[in-house]
């Protein structure tokens, strides 16, 4: 079950002028020219405001590319990735004119309409729904009319195409939005090359056995199609905003097939071929309603309600020379949520936000094939609490305390969760160039519904996997400190550190307890997960902003205990450089290799370096670009993984297209009509429904 509740400035734009004064006398004195540079960035205790340069807006194709080119020091933005985070890895809520934005919203945004970008800490407006970190695009408003935006992307080196259309029309207080897209991808380079070591005390009744298995991919075939459609109607006035949105998502993977060769040390089993033929089809229908009203100058209310229906169909057939395993599943799920947010500001120093959230999730899964069964999950959740903020001109302090109650019925087994969530925070800004932030967030993490599944399924001749209805919630803590310095328009610097821990986390455990003494992968509570990070982020602008550089070095210490005892230290660094010349720009980005430990396993994962160069041109409604990703890498390897445990160990090389060389051509054309459309937000489509099918 998802977390039911997130743990949660307008700044004036200064203009300046130079003047020359003449006296009444016939004696004149020539004055030297005085140039005063207006500040396009400033900060206070609750917000930082950045004004995008005209050349940045003229080059950007959407909201994310604009954020990337602006190189905001508090944000980690990877071009082409819509998952924006703080530099310390915290989730960021993105809004456009006080309305939550999704990936499709950000794709459809018209960069030339952006007036400023605000990075908000613990905003008090109820329309931000208690979010802790917010990126808010303040977009130009118009009187009436609209615009239509077409976007097309084609990748070479990998077979991928993507196109979308977004159209907006506004008349007086009403805004209407439509969005549709098509994404298509094929791939013949999937698979995993592995060496696995099994330790069995009594395999097939033959006593103690050690098996070493080698898997070599032979061929693969993957094809995926995805479509999103959305329509939204919004009424907006000075004190009231009402939104209704209907969206539909269809994702189809008709082929996800893999053929591999299996061999065993000492000829434990004869050389054989194994094939997996898999497919899935998912679709979801969503209705979203949101209403905001300003009840008085001290009181405001925002209500969000959502209904989602999803249908997921998943088929999988594994076969080798002697075995056939069929794992098919059909899932119907319903999800309803209502979240009212009330903000009361009795005076300029105090803000009180009562928080309530209610959620109901129901899913029915039919497992077909080799291990048939039927599972039904009903999850009721309720969260309530309050956030209090004390505000002074140069500092703020506050706390958020909530209590979550959830009742889950897993096919007749009832589980009740009852736990607190909280956050203590403070900010200090002695002037408009410096900002400090401290935060301590704590609470309990709820395992996913699929992790609590009582089902057990067979993966291959030596491995089974299952969920665990007896999983406990586990505590996590995040303590962070950040400093921001904005000395002038040319320089930006931030420094940050945090400590994150999970106590008695959920982890995958391997034990020889499956049928016939084979191996079972099961989710259990066990061991702690700890991460400490120190980082810097610096941005420099040269030649009047025509050359912008950003660098982000980080030191990491990760440690896990329990079944997988492991400690790891590393230094990573990312860097980007943008050069503007005329209507053209040249953008480069680089990320060092990384070695990390996922929080739900004892795996040590190694990822290669990643880099890209992009040449772009923009003028009027046109944006064109050509991008080379990882242009020196011919390998199809995406991740190398290592796991060492008492009963099961492996070394794996995952293959795919994500880190292989590829070349991308992009074109965007936007044309407007009418007279200055009143901008509120871009329409957003919704991803497919959540699934509780056991993974």
């Amino acid at each position: 079950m998802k977390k039911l509740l997130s743990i949660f400035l307008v700044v004036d734009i200064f203009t300046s002028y130079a003047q020359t004064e003449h006296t009444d006398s016939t004696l004149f004195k020539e004055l030297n020219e005085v140039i005063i540079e207006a500040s396009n960035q400033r900060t206070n205790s609750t917000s930082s405001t950045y004004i995008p340069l005209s050349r940045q807006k003229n080059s950007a194709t959407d909201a994310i590319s604009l954020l990337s080119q602006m190189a905001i020091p508090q944000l980690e933005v990877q071009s082409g990735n819509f998952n924006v985070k703080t530099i310390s890895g915290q989730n960021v809520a993105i809004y456009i004119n006080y309305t939550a934005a999704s990936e499709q919203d950000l794709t459809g945004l018209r960069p030339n309409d952006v007036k400023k970008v605000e990075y908000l800490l613990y905003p008090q407006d109820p329309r931000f729904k208690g979010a802790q970190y917010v990126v808010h695009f303040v977009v130009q408003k118009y009187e009436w009319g609209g615009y239509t935006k077409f976007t097309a992307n084609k990748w070479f080196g990998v077979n991928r195409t993507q196109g979308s259309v977004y159209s907006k029309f506004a008349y007086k207080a009403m805004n209407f939005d439509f969005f549709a897209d098509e994404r298509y991808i094929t791939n013949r380079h999937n698979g995993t090359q592995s060496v696995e070591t099994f330790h069995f005390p009594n395999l097939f009744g033959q006593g103690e056995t050690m098996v070493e298995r080698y898997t070599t991919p032979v061929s693969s075939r993957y094809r995926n199609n995805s479509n999103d459609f959305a329509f939204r109607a919004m009424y907006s006035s000075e004190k009231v905003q009402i939104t209704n949105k209907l969206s539909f998502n269809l994702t189809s993977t008709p082929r996800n097939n893999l053929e591999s060769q299996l061999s065993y040390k000492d000829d434990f089993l004869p050389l054989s071929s194994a094939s997996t033929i898999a497919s899935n089809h998912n679709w979801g229908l969503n209705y979203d309603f949101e209403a905001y009203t300003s009840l008085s100058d001290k009181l405001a209310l925002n209500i969000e309600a959502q209904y989602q229906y999803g249908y997921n169909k998943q088929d999988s057939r594994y076969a080798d020379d002697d075995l056939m395993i069929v794992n098919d599943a059909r899932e119907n799920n319903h999800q309803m949520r209502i979240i009212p947010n009330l903000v009361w500001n009795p005076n300029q120093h105090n803000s009180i936000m009562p928080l309530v959230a209610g959620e109901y999730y129901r899913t029915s899964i039919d497992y077909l094939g080799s291990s048939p069964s039927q599972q039904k999950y009903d999850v009721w959740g309720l969260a309530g609490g309050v956030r209090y903020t004390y505000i002074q001109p140069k500092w703020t302090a506050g706390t958020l305390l909530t209590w979550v109650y959830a009742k889950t019925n897993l096919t007749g087994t009832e589980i009740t969760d009852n736990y607190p969530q909280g956050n203590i925070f403070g900010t200090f800004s002695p002037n408009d160039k410096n900002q400090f932030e401290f935060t301590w967030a704590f609470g309990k993490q709820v395992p996913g519904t699929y992790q609590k599944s009582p089902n057990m399924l067979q993966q291959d001749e030596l491995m089974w996997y299952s969920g665990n209805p007896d999983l406990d919630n586990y505590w996590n803590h995040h303590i962070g400190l950040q400093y921001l310095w904005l000395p002038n328009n040319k320089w930006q610097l931030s420094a940050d550190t945090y400590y994150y821990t999970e106590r008695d986390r959920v982890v995958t455990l391997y034990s020889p307890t499956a049928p016939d003494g084979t191996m079972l992968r099961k989710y259990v509570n066990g061991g702690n997960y700890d991460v400490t990070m120190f980082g810097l982020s610096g941005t420099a602008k040269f030649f009047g902003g025509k050359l912008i550089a950003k660098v982000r070095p980080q030191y990491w210490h990760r440690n896990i205990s329990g079944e997988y005892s492991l400690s790891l230290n590393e230094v990573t660094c990312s860097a980007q450089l943008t050069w503007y010349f005329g209507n053209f720009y040249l953008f480069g980005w680089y990320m060092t290799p990384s070695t990390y430990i996922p929080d739900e396993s004892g795996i040590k994962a190694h990822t290669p370096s990643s880099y890209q160069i992009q040449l772009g041109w923009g003028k009027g409604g046109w944006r064109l670009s050509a991008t080379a990703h990882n242009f020196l890498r011919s390998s199809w390897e995406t991740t190398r993984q290592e796991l060492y445990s008492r009963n099961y160990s492996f070394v794996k090389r995952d293959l795919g297209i994500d880190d292989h060389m590829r070349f991308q051509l992009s074109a965007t054309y936007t044309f407007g009509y009418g007279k200055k459309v009143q901008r509120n937000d871009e329409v957003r489509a919704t991803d497919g429904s959540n699934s509780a099918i056991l993974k």
Side-chain angles (χ1 to χ4, degrees):
M1 186 185 68
K2 292 181 177 179
K3 290 185 180 178
L4 298 172
L5 199 61
S6 298
I7 299 179
F8 346 109
L9 324 184
V10 177
V11 178
D12 294 333
I13 305 173
F14 289 101
T15 59
S16 60
Y17 61 92
Q19 76 177 24
T20 303
E21 183 179 21
H22 296 274
T23 68
D24 292 334
S25 170
T26 58
L27 185 63
F28 297 91
K29 181 179 180 180
E30 183 178 354
L31 300 179
N32 293 327
E33 181 182 11
V34 178
I35 300 176
I36 302 176
E37 184 181 32
S39 174
N40 60 19
Q41 58 186 34
R42 64 183 302 220
T43 189
N44 59 37
S45 63
T46 58
S47 69
S48 300
T49 301
Y50 301 90
I51 313 300
L53 303 175
S54 59
R55 61 177 63 94
Q56 293 171 335
K57 294 193 289 185
N58 190 60
S59 301
T61 57
D62 53 34
I64 297 301
S65 63
L66 180 60
L67 281 180
S68 178
Q69 294 192 39
M70 291 178 68
I72 294 174
Q74 298 110 309
L75 299 177
E76 190 66 34
V77 183
Q78 182 177 345
S79 182
N81 187 339
F82 289 89
N83 190 17
V84 178
K85 293 182 177 293
T86 69
I87 55 174
S88 59
Q90 301 301 296
N91 291 327
V92 175
I94 304 180
Y95 282 72
I96 304 173
N97 281 1
Y98 297 97
T99 303
S102 72
E103 178 178 326
Q104 286 71 29
D105 288 320
L106 302 174
T107 300
L109 181 127
R110 194 179 188 180
N112 282 337
D113 288 343
V114 176
K115 297 169 64 178
K116 59 183 175 181
V117 177
E118 300 172 326
Y119 176 68
L120 309 179
L121 300 175
Y122 315 99
Q124 297 151 36
D125 194 302
R127 287 171 288 187
F128 295 125
K129 306 169 190 174
Q132 182 173 350
Y133 302 105
V134 172
V135 169
H136 182 216
F137 288 89
V138 179
V139 178
Q140 177 69 55
K141 294 182 179 180
Y142 297 85
E143 295 178 11
W144 66 272
Y147 73 89
T148 297
K149 180 178 181 181
F150 296 94
T151 301
N153 293 279
K154 175 62 180 177
W155 285 259
F156 300 90
V158 300
N159 187 16
R160 179 179 176 183
T161 59
Q162 181 176 346
S164 67
V165 57
Y166 165 79
S167 190
K168 183 182 188 73
F169 180 80
Y171 179 72
K172 294 184 178 180
M174 291 300 301
N175 288 267
F176 302 95
D177 306 78
F178 172 77
F179 177 88
D181 76 347
E182 161 78 16
R183 287 167 286 180
Y184 175 81
I185 184 171
T186 62
N187 177 19
R188 293 181 177 270
H189 299 277
N190 278 342
T192 299
Q193 180 177 324
S194 65
V195 178
E196 301 169 274
T197 303
F198 300 80
H199 295 273
F200 299 106
N202 190 21
L203 179 64
F204 301 124
Q206 301 299 315
E208 186 173 350
T209 306
M210 187 186 79
V211 178
E212 196 166 289
R213 180 170 63 185
Y214 308 90
T215 302
T216 304
V218 176
S219 64
S220 66
R221 190 175 183 186
Y222 174 87
R223 182 164 70 87
N224 175 269
N225 253 81
S226 180
N227 299 91
D228 295 296
F229 304 93
F231 174 78
R232 180 176 61 197
M234 176 187 294
Y235 170 82
S236 182
S237 66
E238 184 178 352
K239 293 188 175 182
V240 175
Q241 182 172 296
I242 300 174
T243 303
N244 287 276
K245 193 191 81 167
L246 188 66
S247 59
F248 176 77
N249 169 267
L250 175 63
T251 301
S252 175
T253 306
R255 293 185 181 89
N256 189 9
N257 304 338
L258 176 66
E259 183 177 349
S260 301
Q261 185 182 77
L262 302 180
S263 60
Y264 298 84
K265 184 178 181 180
D266 299 328
D267 297 326
F268 173 77
L269 290 174
L271 181 70
S272 63
S273 296
S275 64
T276 300
I277 300 175
S279 64
N280 62 73
H281 303 272
N282 310 312
W283 65 271
L285 182 65
N286 303 271
Y287 170 69
D288 295 89
F289 170 82
E290 190 166 350
Y292 164 81
T293 180
S294 176
L295 303 173
S296 70
D297 59 348
K298 297 181 179 180
L299 195 65
L301 175 67
N302 191 84
I303 299 176
E304 178 187 12
Q306 180 186 70
Y307 169 75
Q308 179 185 81
Y309 170 74
Y311 175 75
N312 302 313
K313 176 184 176 182
Q314 178 178 300
D315 294 329
S316 175
R317 283 160 174 77
Y318 172 85
D320 64 11
D321 294 345
D322 302 311
L323 179 68
M324 168 72 79
I325 302 172
V326 178
N327 287 325
D328 297 342
R330 306 290 184 268
E331 177 185 26
N332 288 275
N333 61 60
H334 303 262
Q335 184 170 350
M336 291 174 283
R337 181 185 297 117
I338 183 167
I339 305 175
N341 284 318
L342 183 70
V343 170
W344 178 41
N345 299 319
N347 53 52
Q348 62 180 347
H349 297 301
N350 296 276
S351 177
I352 301 172
M353 180 184 289
L355 301 168
V356 178
E359 182 176 20
Y360 173 67
Y361 174 73
R362 181 179 186 181
T363 186
S364 175
I365 306 174
D366 290 316
Y367 289 98
L368 311 171
S370 302
S371 304
S373 68
Q374 186 179 68
Q375 308 294 335
K376 292 184 178 181
Y377 306 149
D378 285 276
V379 181
W380 293 88
L382 180 66
V386 62
R387 190 177 81 182
Y388 169 73
T389 307
Y390 182 73
I391 306 145
Q392 286 290 337
K394 294 186 177 182
W395 61 274
T396 63
T399 183
L400 166 67
L401 295 174
T402 63
W403 201 273
V404 178
Y405 173 82
K407 186 175 182 180
T408 305
N409 188 315
L410 301 177
T411 318
T413 301
E414 291 193 355
I415 302 172
T416 300
D417 294 318
N418 194 20
Y419 55 91
Q421 301 272 21
N423 190 19
I424 297 172
F425 57 89
T427 64
F428 173 60
S429 181
N431 50 50
D432 63 359
K433 300 181 184 301
N434 295 271
Q435 181 192 77
F436 297 86
E437 182 207 355
F438 167 79
T439 183
W440 170 33
F442 57 89
K444 282 199 170 182
Q445 181 75 29
V446 180
T449 308
Y450 71 92
Q451 293 175 322
K452 288 191 172 184
S453 169
N455 226 37
M456 184 168 71
L457 303 176
Q458 188 173 8
Q459 177 176 308
D460 55 43
E461 51 272 280
L462 297 178
M463 182 73 73
W464 293 65
Y465 60 102
S466 77
N468 184 359
D470 298 324
L471 287 177
D472 294 325
N473 302 333
Y474 51 97
W475 282 99
N476 61 68
H477 297 263
H478 181 278
I479 301 174
L481 181 65
Q482 181 173 309
Y483 168 67
L484 172 68
W485 182 39
L486 303 176
N488 52 51
N489 287 342
K490 296 180 180 179
W491 302 96
Q492 303 168 346
L493 179 67
S494 66
D496 63 306
T497 182
Y498 76 81
Y499 169 71
Y500 175 75
T501 182
E502 295 177 0
R503 319 308 290 176
D504 200 24
R505 62 176 178 150
V506 169
V507 67
T508 51
L509 183 68
Y510 296 87
S511 63
T513 56
D516 298 317
T518 55
M519 199 66 66
L520 175 65
R521 172 174 61 86
K522 186 177 182 179
Y523 296 103
V524 299
N525 291 98
N528 302 328
Y529 178 80
D530 299 281
V531 180
T532 302
M533 189 280 299
F534 298 93
L536 296 172
S537 181
T539 300
K541 301 176 183 178
F542 306 99
F543 310 115
K546 293 182 179 180
L547 184 65
I548 301 177
K550 181 180 179 180
V551 63
R552 169 64 171 163
Q554 291 175 280
Y555 166 77
W556 301 85
H557 173 74
R558 297 181 176 92
N559 184 77
I560 56 176
S561 62
E563 175 71 15
Y564 311 101
S565 182
L566 187 61
S567 183
L568 186 64
N569 297 283
E570 72 165 340
V571 175
T572 62
C573 186
S574 63
Q576 69 179 60
L577 188 69
T578 309
W579 175 35
Y580 300 94
F581 50 102
N583 292 323
F584 292 87
Y585 71 92
L586 186 64
F587 172 83
W589 178 84
Y590 177 79
M591 178 69 192
T592 58
S594 176
T595 301
Y596 65 96
I597 309 169
D599 64 345
E600 291 182 357
S601 73
I603 295 173
K604 183 188 292 187
H606 309 266
T607 59
S609 61
S610 184
Y611 48 90
Q612 69 177 64
I613 292 180
Q614 182 177 92
L615 176 65
W617 173 85
K619 186 176 182 180
W622 283 99
R623 302 290 187 273
L624 304 175
S625 67
T627 309
H629 302 265
N630 301 323
F631 47 87
L632 299 177
R633 181 174 298 124
S634 59
S635 171
W636 297 95
E637 181 177 320
T638 59
T639 308
R640 181 167 52 87
Q641 302 182 59
E642 305 168 12
L643 175 71
Y644 300 98
S645 67
R646 291 174 296 174
N647 300 307
Y648 177 68
S649 302
F650 64 71
V651 176
K652 294 182 178 180
R653 293 175 60 244
D654 293 325
L655 307 178
I657 63 176
D658 291 344
D659 294 301
H660 182 69
M661 71 167 67
R662 60 190 186 277
F663 304 91
Q664 177 184 352
L665 296 179
S666 299
T668 298
Y669 178 65
T670 306
F671 65 92
Y673 37 86
K675 180 183 179 181
K676 291 210 169 182
V677 57
Q678 180 176 343
R679 295 296 310 275
N680 278 299
D681 184 16
E682 311 291 338
V683 70
R684 61 190 186 278
T686 305
D687 293 337
S689 62
N690 297 317
S691 176
I693 296 175
L694 178 63
K695 303 176 180 64

